[in-house]
Amino acid sequence: SEMIYVGDDPVLDIEAAAQLGIHTIWITPNDKPQTKIHDSASEVISSIDELPEAVSAISAKLSSNSAAG
């Protein structure tokens, strides 16, 4: 099974989960500055309303990776 960690703190949430190999979704409002953590997140959204689309995008990536391998 797969797990996705959703958080708003780039270090405590996104970087920590990514280091454990967990897929991440970073919720960052548009007015927050972007950081290098942006590259660590599997998906980046600016509103919780975008969560279903972000989960679908990660799922699609996983499906295409398992089909290729």
Side-chain angles (χ1 to χ4, degrees):
S1 69
E2 296 293 330
M3 181 170 129
I4 299 173
Y5 193 97
V6 179
D8 64 351
D9 187 289
V11 176
L12 297 177
D13 294 329
I14 304 307
E15 191 173 90
Q19 287 178 357
L20 294 172
I22 299 170
H23 299 285
T24 59
I25 299 174
W26 182 22
I27 301 175
T28 177
N30 290 330
D31 60 341
K32 277 193 174 179
Q34 297 295 315
T35 68
K36 69 176 185 155
I37 302 299
H38 186 277
D39 295 334
S40 298
S42 304
E43 293 290 323
V44 178
I45 60 177
S46 59
S47 165
I48 197 73
D49 295 333
E50 300 170 25
L51 187 58
E53 185 177 325
V55 170
S56 293
I58 292 171
S59 180
K61 289 176 191 173
L62 293 172
S63 294
S64 67
N65 286 345
S66 65

